[in-house]
């Protein structure tokens, strides 16, 4: 093919007639010859243009080779593209399988999470139910112990009564800690924010812990405040109680301080002590679960090491900052800052003199509780305070027993009345329709914020079980002062 010429072949029809073949004088022949010559010139020009079209070498063979090369490249790239598409298909299949595997794994994780949440909620409900069942006899035991403490007992028996009371407090604290940590973990413990006077909370705690401090050979100084704050009274009380308990537990000599400082952004409730102090490297660790201070400072080693962990969680839930200042060898000061409230709180008894039995002497009290032991314990305690008490396991039983006491100065009623169809709120409403001005004190082991709000909306006071006698006494004095 390299010797192929692009010139016209001898046998082409376009070849001009020779002198031997053309007839002289033929007009047609001359015309054909001229046309043939013109075509030959056109063909030569086209060939020259093709051969000089920029293809390497300028020859037709080079053009052919170039075309073949391009075709080969196209074929190779097409095959590579097909291979890439096949590989992408395989990768896509692998991704699809992996996605399906991950979706299945995520579904299993979601199912496991649902099961865990259900189990956690079930555990919380179980603990709540068990705690209520346990709190009933514990509540009765504390009431009987407090009533016994009000009576004259032999001097040798007095320490025994005190020890029983302290042991019951320890059981209450441990049980309350377990229930609280379970509720916090499950997210079912919701704050019931309301305005109340700081003295409503701290007066009771000061009176209670002054006795505890005295029993440990310590002195508790209390600086009272009349400020009104916004918080959950029960949860805030748990925080301050833990501060006081730790301060007394770890202070061997000296005193404990409970007081308040007015800050621009809230009331700072402070608990200080003259104990051993806390080293800088332990100040964060003590707020972790099951972590405790140095064992040598704890006289009786009670507790699970959950107190400050609960304090930290409750404070975070309430949005109340916690502060710790300590100097090793000199003491510590824990504080919680609570925002100021706007509503007037329920008036309490004057704090200059804590309520004594004479302030309840002759007070007429109705009690409804479907637990006979709790009913008897409450009756014994209030009778020891000088109250005239009539009680019953139900409204019908109270009506029957109250024939000689047709009116009352205050009603103390349990919320959970399992022996009747209605709860304590409904029963209290029935009595209030008959006695519109009757003050009501609701007693319950239910920490539900919605229930607390319902009780408060009706203008009732409430106490959580197990009932603390001093708190009960102060509330009764306040309710009686409101009704007078």
């Amino acid at each position: 093919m390299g010797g192929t010429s692009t010139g016209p072949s001898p046998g082409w029809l376009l070849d001009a007639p020779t002198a031997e073949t053309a007839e002289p004088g033929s007009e047609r022949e001359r015309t054909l010859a001229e046309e043939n010559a013109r075509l030959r010139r056109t063909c030569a020009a086209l060939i020259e243009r093709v051969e000089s079209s920029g293809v390497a070498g300028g020859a037709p063979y080079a053009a052919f080779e170039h075309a073949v090369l391009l075709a080969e490249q196209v074929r190779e790239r097409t095959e590579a593209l097909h291979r890439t598409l096949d590989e992408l298909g395989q990768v896509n299949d692998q991704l699809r399988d992996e996605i399906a595997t991950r979706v299945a794994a995520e579904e299993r994780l979601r199912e496991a999470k649902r099961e865990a949440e259900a189990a956690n909620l079930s555990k919380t409900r179980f603990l709540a139910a068990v705690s209520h069942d346990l709190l009933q006899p514990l509540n009765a035991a504390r009431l009987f112990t407090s009533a016994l403490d009000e009576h004259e007992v032999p001097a040798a028996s007095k320490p025994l009564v005190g020890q029983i009371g302290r042991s019951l407090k320890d059981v209450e604290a441990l049980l309350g800690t377990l229930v609280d940590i379970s509720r916090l973990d499950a997210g079912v413990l919701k704050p019931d924010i309301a305005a109340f006077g700081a003295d409503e909370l701290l007066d009771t705690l000061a009176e209670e812990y002054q006795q505890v401090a005295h029993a440990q050979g310590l002195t508790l100084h209390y600086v009272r405040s009349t400020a009104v704050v916004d918080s959950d009274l029960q949860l805030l009380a748990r925080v301050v109680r833990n501060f006081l308990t730790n301060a007394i537990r770890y202070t061997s000599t000296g005193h404990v301080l409970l007081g308040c400082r007015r800050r621009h952004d809230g009331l700072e409730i402070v608990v200080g002590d003259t104990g051993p102090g806390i080293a800088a490297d332990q100040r964060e660790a003590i707020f972790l679960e099951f972590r405790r201070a140095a064992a040598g400072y704890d006289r009786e080693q009670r507790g699970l090491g959950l107190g400050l962990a609960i304090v930290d969680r409750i404070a975070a839930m309430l949005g109340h900052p916690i502060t710790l200042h300590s100097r090793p060898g000199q003491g510590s000061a824990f504080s919680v800052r609570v925002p100021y409230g706007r509503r007037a709180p329920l008036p309490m008894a004057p704090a200059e003199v804590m309520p004594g039995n004479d302030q309840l002497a002759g007070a007429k009290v109705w009690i409804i509780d479907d637990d006979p032991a709790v009913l008897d314990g409450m009756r014994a305690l209030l009778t020891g305070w000088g109250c005239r008490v009539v009680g019953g396991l139900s409204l019908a039983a109270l009506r029957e027993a109250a024939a000689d006491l047709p009116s009352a100065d205050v009603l103390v009623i349990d919320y959970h009345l399992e022996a009747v169809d209605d709860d304590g709120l409904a029963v209290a409403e029935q009595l209030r329709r008959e006695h519109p001005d009757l003050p009501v004190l609701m007693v319950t082991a239910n920490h539900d914020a919605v229930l607390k709000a319902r009780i408060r909306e009706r203008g009732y006071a409430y106490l959580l079980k197990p009932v603390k006698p001093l708190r009960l006494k102060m509330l009764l004095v306040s309710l009686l002062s409101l009704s007078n």
Side-chain angles (χ1 to χ4, degrees):
M1 189 169 180
T4 303
S5 172
T6 58
S9 300
W12 281 18
L13 294 177
L14 295 178
D15 288 347
T18 62
E20 294 78 9
T21 59
E23 296 182 1
S26 172
E27 184 67 25
R28 179 176 177 79
E29 289 178 355
R30 284 196 302 274
T31 301
L32 289 173
E34 292 174 358
E35 179 67 20
N36 191 19
R38 188 180 67 78
L39 289 174
R40 286 170 64 86
R41 288 193 300 273
T42 302
C43 182
L46 289 172
I47 290 172
E48 181 181 1
R49 180 173 297 181
V50 169
E51 291 181 344
S52 62
S53 60
V55 180
Y61 183 72
F64 174 75
E65 286 183 328
H66 184 67
V68 170
L69 179 61
L70 289 176
E72 183 66 19
Q73 290 176 347
V74 169
R75 184 186 63 78
E76 291 176 353
R77 292 183 181 180
T78 301
E79 290 178 354
L81 180 60
H82 282 301
R83 288 194 299 271
T84 302
L85 290 175
D86 291 340
E87 292 173 356
L88 288 176
Q90 295 175 1
V91 172
N92 188 45
D93 292 340
Q94 293 175 356
L95 288 175
R96 188 182 299 109
D97 294 341
E98 185 176 349
I99 290 173
T101 301
R102 291 187 178 183
V103 168
E106 289 178 359
E107 180 59 31
R108 289 194 296 271
L109 287 175
R110 282 193 292 268
E111 181 63 25
K113 181 182 178 183
R114 286 192 292 267
E115 291 177 358
E117 289 174 346
N120 197 28
L121 183 58
S122 176
K123 177 198 69 174
T124 301
R125 289 174 177 169
F126 171 76
L127 283 176
V130 169
S131 66
H132 179 267
D133 292 341
L134 290 176
L135 285 174
Q136 285 294 89
L138 178 60
N139 189 37
R142 288 206 64 184
L143 291 173
F144 280 124
T145 304
S146 299
L148 180 62
D149 196 40
E150 297 286 339
H151 289 72
E152 291 294 333
V153 296
S157 301
K158 198 73 173 177
L160 298 178
V161 175
Q163 185 60 44
I164 292 172
R166 286 190 293 273
S167 297
L168 291 174
K169 284 184 180 180
D170 290 339
V171 174
E172 174 193 345
L174 290 173
L175 180 60
T177 296
L178 290 174
V179 173
D180 284 350
I181 204 74
S182 174
R183 287 171 174 161
L184 286 167
D185 285 342
V188 298
L189 186 60
K190 304 298 182 183
D192 175 34
I193 305 298
F196 58 89
D199 53 356
E200 182 181 347
L201 167 67
L202 300 181
D203 287 356
T204 306
L205 293 178
E207 176 70 11
E208 177 182 347
Y209 279 89
Q210 279 173 348
Q211 301 174 12
V212 177
H214 179 72
Q216 301 290 353
L218 304 173
T219 303
L220 189 147
H221 299 298
Y222 171 46
V223 180
R224 188 170 183 267
S225 174
T226 58
V228 177
V229 295
D230 263 335
S231 185
D232 183 305
L233 190 148
Q234 302 298 331
L235 293 179
L236 183 59
R238 168 70 74 177
V239 171
V240 181
R241 280 180 181 280
N242 273 287
F243 288 164
L244 288 167
T245 298
N246 282 347
I248 294 174
R249 172 178 293 170
Y250 293 105
T251 303
S252 56
T253 59
H255 62 270
V256 174
L257 169 69
L258 171 61
C260 301
R261 294 192 184 102
R262 288 182 180 264
R263 305 296 190 185
H264 70 281
D265 57 346
L267 185 70
E268 187 177 30
I269 302 174
V270 183
V271 175
D273 62 63
T274 57
I278 302 169
D281 59 353
Q282 294 184 0
R283 292 176 191 173
E284 292 185 5
I286 60 174
F287 286 94
L288 301 177
E289 294 179 0
F290 307 109
R291 299 294 290 272
R292 308 174 65 182
Y297 295 112
D298 189 349
R299 295 183 183 88
E300 301 181 10
Q301 294 294 312
R302 292 188 179 98
L304 300 174
L306 291 173
L308 290 179
I310 291 179
V311 164
D312 192 48
R313 295 191 191 188
I314 291 177
M317 181 173 61
L318 294 175
H320 299 349
I322 296 291
T323 308
L324 166 60
H325 298 286
S326 183
R327 291 183 180 179
Q330 298 185 29
S332 304
F334 288 85
S335 65
V336 56
R337 192 166 301 189
V338 188
Y340 294 116
R342 297 182 179 179
R343 292 194 293 110
L346 179 68
M348 297 299 295
E352 289 76 10
V353 179
M354 287 297 175
N357 293 350
D358 56 332
Q359 294 175 266
L360 293 175
K364 296 178 290 184
V365 182
W366 285 346
I367 304 174
I368 299 179
D369 196 304
D370 63 350
D371 188 308
V374 174
L375 180 63
D376 292 341
M378 186 72 75
R379 182 188 289 114
L381 179 62
L382 296 184
T383 301
W385 290 345
C387 299
R388 298 173 59 192
V389 180
V390 170
L393 300 175
S394 64
L395 178 58
L398 176 68
R399 292 186 191 281
E400 183 178 351
D404 298 332
L405 194 66
S407 64
D409 298 317
V410 63
L411 169 67
V412 179
I413 183 170
D414 186 22
Y415 173 72
H416 293 280
L417 298 175
E418 298 178 359
V420 296
D421 294 333
D422 294 329
D423 57 33
L425 283 175
V427 174
E429 287 298 310
Q430 295 183 51
L431 286 172
R432 289 270 292 200
R433 283 194 290 270
E434 303 169 11
H435 308 272
D437 298 326
L438 178 65
V440 175
L441 173 58
M442 190 72 57
V443 182
T444 179
N446 193 330
H447 290 248
D448 183 61
V450 175
L451 174 60
K452 294 178 184 177
R454 290 173 59 199
I455 295 173
R456 192 171 54 251
E457 286 169 1
R458 288 165 171 76
Y460 302 163
Y462 69 91
L463 274 178
L464 292 177
K465 292 183 179 181
V467 172
K468 296 175 176 59
L470 182 59
R471 177 71 177 157
L472 172 63
K473 181 183 287 188
M474 294 187 70
L475 274 178
L476 288 176
V477 170
S478 296
L479 292 171
L480 292 172
S481 66
L482 286 175
S483 61
N484 293 336

